[in-house]
Amino acid sequence: MFYMSTVMAFGFTFSANPSPETCFGNGSITFIVSAADPNGTFLYIVYKLPNVLTPFATVNSNPLSE
């Protein structure tokens, strides 16, 4: 299950666009950030429900694939 969200805070816009699985393990999430400080760094911490205690993935690149 992927959760899609758009956030506007600190002067930049963030959204996550999921692509659902069509075969086992080929789903992905593409992270989109616009108007960010070019010297900034984004770290994406992704949880797979129902486990919200242990990250499914922690990445600083795009896209995230299962």
Side-chain angles (χ1 to χ4, degrees), residues 9-47:
F10 305 106
F12 65 89
T13 301
F14 168 81
S15 63
N17 296 323
S19 294
E21 291 182 329
T22 55
C23 294
F24 181 75
N26 74 344
S28 67
I29 304 172
T30 301
F31 303 110
I32 301 168
V33 178
S34 60
D37 182 334
N39 297 315
T41 302
F42 288 88
L43 180 65
Y44 307 103
I45 302 173
V46 181
Y47 295 90

